[in-house]
PDB file of all heavy atoms in Angstrom:
ATOM      1  N   ALA A 221      65.129  26.802  18.406  1.00 87.00           N
ATOM      2  CA  ALA A 221      64.172  26.382  19.428  1.00 87.00           C
ATOM      3  C   ALA A 221      63.964  27.527  20.409  1.00 87.00           C
ATOM      4  O   ALA A 221      64.911  28.210  20.791  1.00 87.00           O
ATOM      5  CB  ALA A 221      64.668  25.138  20.167  1.00 87.00           C
ATOM      6  N   GLY A 222      62.694  27.719  20.801  1.00 86.00           N
ATOM      7  CA  GLY A 222      62.376  28.737  21.782  1.00 86.00           C
ATOM      8  C   GLY A 222      62.161  30.116  21.185  1.00 86.00           C
ATOM      9  O   GLY A 222      62.239  30.319  19.965  1.00 86.00           O
ATOM     10  N   ALA A 223      61.862  31.064  22.061  1.00 85.00           N
ATOM     11  CA  ALA A 223      61.667  32.469  21.683  1.00 85.00           C
ATOM     12  C   ALA A 223      62.168  33.320  22.840  1.00 85.00           C
ATOM     13  O   ALA A 223      62.056  32.934  24.001  1.00 85.00           O
ATOM     14  CB  ALA A 223      60.194  32.761  21.399  1.00 85.00           C
ATOM     15  N   ALA A 224      62.741  34.486  22.522  1.00 85.00           N
ATOM     16  CA  ALA A 224      63.314  35.328  23.573  1.00 85.00           C
ATOM     17  C   ALA A 224      63.271  36.790  23.171  1.00 85.00           C
ATOM     18  O   ALA A 224      63.190  37.127  21.985  1.00 85.00           O
ATOM     19  CB  ALA A 224      64.753  34.911  23.865  1.00 85.00           C
ATOM     20  N   LEU A 225      63.310  37.655  24.206  1.00 83.00           N
ATOM     21  CA  LEU A 225      63.487  39.086  23.975  1.00 83.00           C
ATOM     22  C   LEU A 225      64.984  39.363  23.911  1.00 83.00           C
ATOM     23  O   LEU A 225      65.731  38.938  24.793  1.00 83.00           O
ATOM     24  CB  LEU A 225      62.864  39.895  25.113  1.00 83.00           C
ATOM     25  CG  LEU A 225      61.368  40.190  25.039  1.00 83.00           C
ATOM     26  CD1 LEU A 225      60.937  40.934  26.296  1.00 83.00           C
ATOM     27  CD2 LEU A 225      61.022  41.000  23.811  1.00 83.00           C
ATOM     28  N   VAL A 226      65.405  40.067  22.870  1.00 84.00           N
ATOM     29  CA  VAL A 226      66.827  40.308  22.658  1.00 84.00           C
ATOM     30  C   VAL A 226      67.094  41.803  22.581  1.00 84.00           C
ATOM     31  O   VAL A 226      66.391  42.541  21.871  1.00 84.00           O
ATOM     32  CB  VAL A 226      67.317  39.615  21.367  1.00 84.00           C
ATOM     33  CG1 VAL A 226      68.798  39.881  21.137  1.00 84.00           C
ATOM     34  CG2 VAL A 226      67.052  38.111  21.435  1.00 84.00           C
ATOM     35  N   ASN A 227      68.101  42.263  23.310  1.00 80.00           N
ATOM     36  CA  ASN A 227      68.544  43.650  23.244  1.00 80.00           C
ATOM     37  C   ASN A 227      69.609  43.750  22.149  1.00 80.00           C
ATOM     38  O   ASN A 227      70.712  43.222  22.294  1.00 80.00           O
ATOM     39  CB  ASN A 227      69.117  44.087  24.596  1.00 80.00           C
ATOM     40  CG  ASN A 227      69.671  45.500  24.557  1.00 80.00           C
ATOM     41  OD1 ASN A 227      69.474  46.230  23.593  1.00 80.00           O
ATOM     42  ND2 ASN A 227      70.351  45.888  25.615  1.00 80.00           N
ATOM     43  N   GLU A 228      69.303  44.450  21.041  1.00 74.00           N
ATOM     44  CA  GLU A 228      70.222  44.546  19.909  1.00 74.00           C
ATOM     45  C   GLU A 228      70.884  45.914  19.823  1.00 74.00           C
ATOM     46  O   GLU A 228      71.334  46.338  18.762  1.00 74.00           O
ATOM     47  CB  GLU A 228      69.473  44.243  18.606  1.00 74.00           C
ATOM     48  CG  GLU A 228      68.966  42.813  18.539  1.00 74.00           C
ATOM     49  CD  GLU A 228      68.421  42.437  17.181  1.00 74.00           C
ATOM     50  OE1 GLU A 228      68.046  43.364  16.428  1.00 74.00           O
ATOM     51  OE2 GLU A 228      68.375  41.239  16.866  1.00 74.00           O
ATOM     52  N   ALA A 229      70.946  46.619  20.945  1.00 64.00           N
ATOM     53  CA  ALA A 229      71.539  47.958  20.939  1.00 64.00           C
ATOM     54  C   ALA A 229      72.988  47.938  20.463  1.00 64.00           C
ATOM     55  O   ALA A 229      73.472  48.910  19.899  1.00 64.00           O
ATOM     56  CB  ALA A 229      71.469  48.573  22.344  1.00 64.00           C
ATOM     57  N   ALA A 230      73.674  46.825  20.661  1.00 59.00           N
ATOM     58  CA  ALA A 230      75.067  46.738  20.233  1.00 59.00           C
ATOM     59  C   ALA A 230      75.202  46.873  18.724  1.00 59.00           C
ATOM     60  O   ALA A 230      76.227  47.306  18.217  1.00 59.00           O
ATOM     61  CB  ALA A 230      75.660  45.403  20.675  1.00 59.00           C
ATOM     62  N   VAL A 231      74.151  46.497  18.000  1.00 60.00           N
ATOM     63  CA  VAL A 231      74.200  46.533  16.541  1.00 60.00           C
ATOM     64  C   VAL A 231      73.418  47.713  15.986  1.00 60.00           C
ATOM     65  O   VAL A 231      73.894  48.449  15.128  1.00 60.00           O
ATOM     66  CB  VAL A 231      73.653  45.213  15.954  1.00 60.00           C
ATOM     67  CG1 VAL A 231      73.572  45.291  14.437  1.00 60.00           C
ATOM     68  CG2 VAL A 231      74.530  44.051  16.381  1.00 60.00           C
ATOM     69  N   THR A 232      72.205  47.911  16.493  1.00 58.00           N
ATOM     70  CA  THR A 232      71.329  48.926  15.906  1.00 58.00           C
ATOM     71  C   THR A 232      71.384  50.262  16.617  1.00 58.00           C
ATOM     72  O   THR A 232      70.965  51.275  16.059  1.00 58.00           O
ATOM     73  CB  THR A 232      69.866  48.447  15.927  1.00 58.00           C
ATOM     74  OG1 THR A 232      69.422  48.351  17.288  1.00 58.00           O
ATOM     75  CG2 THR A 232      69.727  47.088  15.264  1.00 58.00           C
ATOM     76  N   GLY A 233      71.836  50.272  17.883  1.00 51.00           N
ATOM     77  CA  GLY A 233      71.819  51.515  18.648  1.00 51.00           C
ATOM     78  C   GLY A 233      70.483  51.763  19.314  1.00 51.00           C
ATOM     79  O   GLY A 233      70.332  52.711  20.074  1.00 51.00           O
ATOM     80  N   GLU A 234      69.486  50.915  19.048  1.00 52.00           N
ATOM     81  CA  GLU A 234      68.166  51.073  19.655  1.00 52.00           C
ATOM     82  C   GLU A 234      68.090  50.235  20.922  1.00 52.00           C
ATOM     83  O   GLU A 234      68.540  49.087  20.954  1.00 52.00           O
ATOM     84  CB  GLU A 234      67.075  50.630  18.673  1.00 52.00           C
ATOM     85  CG  GLU A 234      67.034  51.458  17.392  1.00 52.00           C
ATOM     86  CD  GLU A 234      66.640  52.902  17.656  1.00 52.00           C
ATOM     87  OE1 GLU A 234      65.909  53.154  18.634  1.00 52.00           O
ATOM     88  OE2 GLU A 234      67.064  53.772  16.893  1.00 52.00           O
ATOM     89  N   SER A 235      67.508  50.813  21.965  1.00 48.00           N
ATOM     90  CA  SER A 235      67.465  50.121  23.251  1.00 48.00           C
ATOM     91  C   SER A 235      66.244  49.219  23.405  1.00 48.00           C
ATOM     92  O   SER A 235      66.224  48.363  24.278  1.00 48.00           O
ATOM     93  CB  SER A 235      67.482  51.141  24.392  1.00 48.00           C
ATOM     94  OG  SER A 235      66.386  52.028  24.264  1.00 48.00           O
ATOM     95  N   ALA A 236      65.203  49.386  22.593  1.00 57.00           N
ATOM     96  CA  ALA A 236      64.000  48.582  22.726  1.00 57.00           C
ATOM     97  C   ALA A 236      64.292  47.137  22.323  1.00 57.00           C
ATOM     98  O   ALA A 236      64.789  46.885  21.229  1.00 57.00           O
ATOM     99  CB  ALA A 236      62.877  49.152  21.856  1.00 57.00           C
ATOM    100  N   PRO A 237      64.002  46.161  23.199  1.00 72.00           N
ATOM    101  CA  PRO A 237      64.273  44.763  22.852  1.00 72.00           C
ATOM    102  C   PRO A 237      63.315  44.274  21.771  1.00 72.00           C
ATOM    103  O   PRO A 237      62.217  44.807  21.595  1.00 72.00           O
ATOM    104  CB  PRO A 237      64.042  44.026  24.171  1.00 72.00           C
ATOM    105  CG  PRO A 237      63.119  44.901  24.950  1.00 72.00           C
ATOM    106  CD  PRO A 237      63.440  46.305  24.554  1.00 72.00           C
ATOM    107  N   VAL A 238      63.738  43.239  21.052  1.00 75.00           N
ATOM    108  CA  VAL A 238      62.931  42.673  19.970  1.00 75.00           C
ATOM    109  C   VAL A 238      62.790  41.177  20.199  1.00 75.00           C
ATOM    110  O   VAL A 238      63.594  40.561  20.903  1.00 75.00           O
ATOM    111  CB  VAL A 238      63.573  42.936  18.592  1.00 75.00           C
ATOM    112  CG1 VAL A 238      63.548  44.409  18.253  1.00 75.00           C
ATOM    113  CG2 VAL A 238      65.001  42.410  18.550  1.00 75.00           C
ATOM    114  N   VAL A 239      61.772  40.588  19.600  1.00 79.00           N
ATOM    115  CA  VAL A 239      61.520  39.157  19.751  1.00 79.00           C
ATOM    116  C   VAL A 239      62.282  38.396  18.677  1.00 79.00           C
ATOM    117  O   VAL A 239      62.238  38.756  17.499  1.00 79.00           O
ATOM    118  CB  VAL A 239      60.012  38.854  19.648  1.00 79.00           C
ATOM    119  CG1 VAL A 239      59.766  37.346  19.697  1.00 79.00           C
ATOM    120  CG2 VAL A 239      59.251  39.550  20.763  1.00 79.00           C
ATOM    121  N   ARG A 240      62.969  37.353  19.085  1.00 82.00           N
ATOM    122  CA  ARG A 240      63.613  36.440  18.156  1.00 82.00           C
ATOM    123  C   ARG A 240      63.095  35.042  18.477  1.00 82.00           C
ATOM    124  O   ARG A 240      63.131  34.605  19.627  1.00 82.00           O
ATOM    125  CB  ARG A 240      65.146  36.488  18.301  1.00 82.00           C
ATOM    126  CG  ARG A 240      65.731  37.820  17.874  1.00 82.00           C
ATOM    127  CD  ARG A 240      65.644  37.989  16.364  1.00 82.00           C
ATOM    128  NE  ARG A 240      66.054  39.324  15.956  1.00 82.00           N
ATOM    129  CZ  ARG A 240      65.212  40.315  15.719  1.00 82.00           C
ATOM    130  NH1 ARG A 240      63.917  40.104  15.865  1.00 82.00           N
ATOM    131  NH2 ARG A 240      65.647  41.492  15.328  1.00 82.00           N
ATOM    132  N   GLU A 241      62.607  34.346  17.442  1.00 81.00           N
ATOM    133  CA  GLU A 241      61.979  33.049  17.663  1.00 81.00           C
ATOM    134  C   GLU A 241      62.271  32.113  16.511  1.00 81.00           C
ATOM    135  O   GLU A 241      62.639  32.547  15.411  1.00 81.00           O
ATOM    136  CB  GLU A 241      60.462  33.217  17.831  1.00 81.00           C
ATOM    137  CG  GLU A 241      59.788  33.902  16.651  1.00 81.00           C
ATOM    138  CD  GLU A 241      58.339  34.230  16.923  1.00 81.00           C
ATOM    139  OE1 GLU A 241      57.803  33.714  17.906  1.00 81.00           O
ATOM    140  OE2 GLU A 241      57.758  35.008  16.153  1.00 81.00           O
ATOM    141  N   SER A 242      62.097  30.835  16.753  1.00 79.00           N
ATOM    142  CA  SER A 242      62.364  29.834  15.728  1.00 79.00           C
ATOM    143  C   SER A 242      61.183  29.727  14.768  1.00 79.00           C
ATOM    144  O   SER A 242      60.058  30.095  15.103  1.00 79.00           O
ATOM    145  CB  SER A 242      62.618  28.470  16.377  1.00 79.00           C
ATOM    146  OG  SER A 242      61.460  28.046  17.086  1.00 79.00           O
ATOM    147  N   GLY A 243      61.497  29.266  13.573  1.00 70.00           N
ATOM    148  CA  GLY A 243      60.448  28.931  12.624  1.00 70.00           C
ATOM    149  C   GLY A 243      59.843  30.074  11.856  1.00 70.00           C
ATOM    150  O   GLY A 243      58.828  29.899  11.193  1.00 70.00           O
ATOM    151  N   GLY A 244      60.401  31.258  11.909  1.00 64.00           N
ATOM    152  CA  GLY A 244      59.828  32.385  11.181  1.00 64.00           C
ATOM    153  C   GLY A 244      60.887  33.198  10.480  1.00 64.00           C
ATOM    154  O   GLY A 244      62.037  32.772  10.331  1.00 64.00           O
ATOM    155  N   ASP A 245      60.484  34.390  10.039  1.00 61.00           N
ATOM    156  CA  ASP A 245      61.412  35.279   9.360  1.00 61.00           C
ATOM    157  C   ASP A 245      62.174  36.172  10.333  1.00 61.00           C
ATOM    158  O   ASP A 245      62.894  37.067   9.911  1.00 61.00           O
ATOM    159  CB  ASP A 245      60.642  36.162   8.353  1.00 61.00           C
ATOM    160  CG  ASP A 245      60.179  35.366   7.151  1.00 61.00           C
ATOM    161  OD1 ASP A 245      60.690  34.247   6.957  1.00 61.00           O
ATOM    162  OD2 ASP A 245      59.298  35.854   6.416  1.00 61.00           O
ATOM    163  N   ARG A 246      61.992  35.949  11.638  1.00 71.00           N
ATOM    164  CA  ARG A 246      62.720  36.723  12.643  1.00 71.00           C
ATOM    165  C   ARG A 246      63.532  35.786  13.531  1.00 71.00           C
ATOM    166  O   ARG A 246      63.505  35.869  14.754  1.00 71.00           O
ATOM    167  CB  ARG A 246      61.751  37.576  13.474  1.00 71.00           C
ATOM    168  CG  ARG A 246      61.078  38.651  12.631  1.00 71.00           C
ATOM    169  CD  ARG A 246      60.146  39.522  13.447  1.00 71.00           C
ATOM    170  NE  ARG A 246      59.602  40.600  12.621  1.00 71.00           N
ATOM    171  CZ  ARG A 246      60.145  41.792  12.472  1.00 71.00           C
ATOM    172  NH1 ARG A 246      61.260  42.070  13.110  1.00 71.00           N
ATOM    173  NH2 ARG A 246      59.599  42.709  11.711  1.00 71.00           N
ATOM    174  N   SER A 247      64.228  34.886  12.875  1.00 77.00           N
ATOM    175  CA  SER A 247      64.987  33.871  13.616  1.00 77.00           C
ATOM    176  C   SER A 247      66.469  34.201  13.726  1.00 77.00           C
ATOM    177  O   SER A 247      67.174  33.581  14.512  1.00 77.00           O
ATOM    178  CB  SER A 247      64.820  32.506  12.943  1.00 77.00           C
ATOM    179  OG  SER A 247      65.333  32.541  11.620  1.00 77.00           O
ATOM    180  N   ALA A 248      66.968  35.151  12.923  1.00 79.00           N
ATOM    181  CA  ALA A 248      68.406  35.443  12.920  1.00 79.00           C
ATOM    182  C   ALA A 248      68.793  36.266  14.147  1.00 79.00           C
ATOM    183  O   ALA A 248      68.094  37.204  14.526  1.00 79.00           O
ATOM    184  CB  ALA A 248      68.788  36.191  11.651  1.00 79.00           C
ATOM    185  N   VAL A 249      69.909  35.912  14.767  1.00 83.00           N
ATOM    186  CA  VAL A 249      70.457  36.671  15.887  1.00 83.00           C
ATOM    187  C   VAL A 249      71.906  37.014  15.571  1.00 83.00           C
ATOM    188  O   VAL A 249      72.565  36.334  14.778  1.00 83.00           O
ATOM    189  CB  VAL A 249      70.371  35.893  17.212  1.00 83.00           C
ATOM    190  CG1 VAL A 249      68.928  35.744  17.660  1.00 83.00           C
ATOM    191  CG2 VAL A 249      71.040  34.527  17.090  1.00 83.00           C
ATOM    192  N   THR A 250      72.388  38.079  16.193  1.00 79.00           N
ATOM    193  CA  THR A 250      73.733  38.584  15.913  1.00 79.00           C
ATOM    194  C   THR A 250      74.604  38.471  17.150  1.00 79.00           C
ATOM    195  O   THR A 250      74.159  38.802  18.261  1.00 79.00           O
ATOM    196  CB  THR A 250      73.649  40.057  15.460  1.00 79.00           C
ATOM    197  OG1 THR A 250      72.790  40.142  14.323  1.00 79.00           O
ATOM    198  CG2 THR A 250      75.021  40.587  15.092  1.00 79.00           C
ATOM    199  N   GLY A 251      75.830  38.012  16.965  1.00 80.00           N
ATOM    200  CA  GLY A 251      76.763  37.927  18.070  1.00 80.00           C
ATOM    201  C   GLY A 251      76.996  39.282  18.703  1.00 80.00           C
ATOM    202  O   GLY A 251      77.133  40.287  18.014  1.00 80.00           O
ATOM    203  N   GLY A 252      77.046  39.311  20.036  1.00 76.00           N
ATOM    204  CA  GLY A 252      77.241  40.568  20.743  1.00 76.00           C
ATOM    205  C   GLY A 252      75.962  41.171  21.268  1.00 76.00           C
ATOM    206  O   GLY A 252      76.004  42.158  21.997  1.00 76.00           O
ATOM    207  N   THR A 253      74.819  40.604  20.897  1.00 81.00           N
ATOM    208  CA  THR A 253      73.548  41.079  21.440  1.00 81.00           C
ATOM    209  C   THR A 253      73.201  40.258  22.690  1.00 81.00           C
ATOM    210  O   THR A 253      73.792  39.208  22.939  1.00 81.00           O
ATOM    211  CB  THR A 253      72.426  40.979  20.390  1.00 81.00           C
ATOM    212  OG1 THR A 253      72.331  39.621  19.914  1.00 81.00           O
ATOM    213  CG2 THR A 253      72.732  41.886  19.212  1.00 81.00           C
ATOM    214  N   GLU A 254      72.236  40.724  23.460  1.00 84.00           N
ATOM    215  CA  GLU A 254      71.972  40.137  24.778  1.00 84.00           C
ATOM    216  C   GLU A 254      70.520  39.701  24.906  1.00 84.00           C
ATOM    217  O   GLU A 254      69.600  40.435  24.539  1.00 84.00           O
ATOM    218  CB  GLU A 254      72.289  41.167  25.872  1.00 84.00           C
ATOM    219  CG  GLU A 254      72.092  40.642  27.275  1.00 84.00           C
ATOM    220  CD  GLU A 254      72.358  41.705  28.328  1.00 84.00           C
ATOM    221  OE1 GLU A 254      72.564  42.885  27.942  1.00 84.00           O
ATOM    222  OE2 GLU A 254      72.354  41.382  29.521  1.00 84.00           O
ATOM    223  N   VAL A 255      70.317  38.494  25.417  1.00 88.00           N
ATOM    224  CA  VAL A 255      68.972  37.984  25.681  1.00 88.00           C
ATOM    225  C   VAL A 255      68.466  38.594  26.990  1.00 88.00           C
ATOM    226  O   VAL A 255      69.143  38.529  28.023  1.00 88.00           O
ATOM    227  CB  VAL A 255      68.966  36.447  25.764  1.00 88.00           C
ATOM    228  CG1 VAL A 255      67.634  35.939  26.300  1.00 88.00           C
ATOM    229  CG2 VAL A 255      69.241  35.850  24.392  1.00 88.00           C
ATOM    230  N   ILE A 256      67.292  39.216  26.916  1.00 86.00           N
ATOM    231  CA  ILE A 256      66.715  39.873  28.099  1.00 86.00           C
ATOM    232  C   ILE A 256      65.844  38.911  28.894  1.00 86.00           C
ATOM    233  O   ILE A 256      65.872  38.905  30.131  1.00 86.00           O
ATOM    234  CB  ILE A 256      65.877  41.099  27.668  1.00 86.00           C
ATOM    235  CG1 ILE A 256      66.753  42.089  26.899  1.00 86.00           C
ATOM    236  CG2 ILE A 256      65.245  41.774  28.876  1.00 86.00           C
ATOM    237  CD1 ILE A 256      67.890  42.645  27.707  1.00 86.00           C
ATOM    238  N   ALA A 257      65.053  38.098  28.194  1.00 82.00           N
ATOM    239  CA  ALA A 257      64.132  37.191  28.885  1.00 82.00           C
ATOM    240  C   ALA A 257      63.959  35.917  28.061  1.00 82.00           C
ATOM    241  O   ALA A 257      64.095  35.924  26.834  1.00 82.00           O
ATOM    242  CB  ALA A 257      62.773  37.863  29.096  1.00 82.00           C
ATOM    243  N   ASN A 258      63.692  34.813  28.756  1.00 85.00           N
ATOM    244  CA  ASN A 258      63.465  33.494  28.168  1.00 85.00           C
ATOM    245  C   ASN A 258      64.777  32.879  27.678  1.00 85.00           C
ATOM    246  O   ASN A 258      65.849  33.460  27.860  1.00 85.00           O
ATOM    247  CB  ASN A 258      62.420  33.545  27.051  1.00 85.00           C
ATOM    248  CG  ASN A 258      61.088  34.073  27.552  1.00 85.00           C
ATOM    249  OD1 ASN A 258      60.767  33.979  28.729  1.00 85.00           O
ATOM    250  ND2 ASN A 258      60.314  34.649  26.658  1.00 85.00           N
ATOM    251  N   SER A 259      64.663  31.722  27.047  1.00 87.00           N
ATOM    252  CA  SER A 259      65.837  30.981  26.590  1.00 87.00           C
ATOM    253  C   SER A 259      65.636  30.521  25.160  1.00 87.00           C
ATOM    254  O   SER A 259      64.511  30.226  24.740  1.00 87.00           O
ATOM    255  CB  SER A 259      66.086  29.759  27.488  1.00 87.00           C
ATOM    256  OG  SER A 259      66.284  30.155  28.829  1.00 87.00           O
ATOM    257  N   ILE A 260      66.738  30.429  24.426  1.00 90.00           N
ATOM    258  CA  ILE A 260      66.681  29.989  23.033  1.00 90.00           C
ATOM    259  C   ILE A 260      67.871  29.080  22.737  1.00 90.00           C
ATOM    260  O   ILE A 260      68.894  29.133  23.410  1.00 90.00           O
ATOM    261  CB  ILE A 260      66.697  31.173  22.045  1.00 90.00           C
ATOM    262  CG1 ILE A 260      67.846  32.136  22.367  1.00 90.00           C
ATOM    263  CG2 ILE A 260      65.368  31.895  22.006  1.00 90.00           C
ATOM    264  CD1 ILE A 260      67.993  33.283  21.377  1.00 90.00           C
ATOM    265  N   VAL A 261      67.689  28.243  21.727  1.00 91.00           N
ATOM    266  CA  VAL A 261      68.789  27.455  21.180  1.00 91.00           C
ATOM    267  C   VAL A 261      69.168  28.081  19.846  1.00 91.00           C
ATOM    268  O   VAL A 261      68.313  28.308  18.982  1.00 91.00           O
ATOM    269  CB  VAL A 261      68.397  25.980  20.990  1.00 91.00           C
ATOM    270  CG1 VAL A 261      69.515  25.221  20.258  1.00 91.00           C
ATOM    271  CG2 VAL A 261      68.121  25.325  22.332  1.00 91.00           C
ATOM    272  N   VAL A 262      70.464  28.373  19.681  1.00 91.00           N
ATOM    273  CA  VAL A 262      70.948  29.051  18.479  1.00 91.00           C
ATOM    274  C   VAL A 262      71.923  28.138  17.734  1.00 91.00           C
ATOM    275  O   VAL A 262      72.842  27.583  18.336  1.00 91.00           O
ATOM    276  CB  VAL A 262      71.656  30.377  18.845  1.00 91.00           C
ATOM    277  CG1 VAL A 262      72.275  31.030  17.606  1.00 91.00           C
ATOM    278  CG2 VAL A 262      70.677  31.333  19.522  1.00 91.00           C
ATOM    279  N   ARG A 263      71.685  28.012  16.434  1.00 90.00           N
ATOM    280  CA  ARG A 263      72.645  27.303  15.583  1.00 90.00           C
ATOM    281  C   ARG A 263      73.621  28.329  15.022  1.00 90.00           C
ATOM    282  O   ARG A 263      73.234  29.281  14.367  1.00 90.00           O
ATOM    283  CB  ARG A 263      71.933  26.583  14.432  1.00 90.00           C
ATOM    284  CG  ARG A 263      72.894  25.832  13.500  1.00 90.00           C
ATOM    285  CD  ARG A 263      72.134  25.090  12.409  1.00 90.00           C
ATOM    286  NE  ARG A 263      71.445  26.015  11.532  1.00 90.00           N
ATOM    287  CZ  ARG A 263      72.002  26.620  10.474  1.00 90.00           C
ATOM    288  NH1 ARG A 263      73.275  26.401  10.182  1.00 90.00           N
ATOM    289  NH2 ARG A 263      71.298  27.442   9.723  1.00 90.00           N
TER     290      ARG A 263
END
């Protein structure tokens, strides 16, 4: 549920945040990354 900007530098080394949202092919999130804006529900 929801969509958010996520900083994945902990995993990829890249500082540019990426969008993670429900219902698509970009729904997976990794532990240790940080949400920059908005809120999401993660299973």
Side-chain angles (χ1 to χ4, degrees):
L225 276 177
V226 179
N227 177 10
E228 295 189 338
V231 174
T232 66
E234 298 294 332
S235 58
V238 293
V239 176
R240 293 289 173 263
E241 57 188 347
S242 62
D245 288 345
R246 294 181 176 270
S247 62
V249 291
T250 303
T253 56
E254 182 182 7
V255 169
I256 301 298
N258 301 335
S259 301
I260 50 176
V261 173
V262 175
R263 180 178 65 85

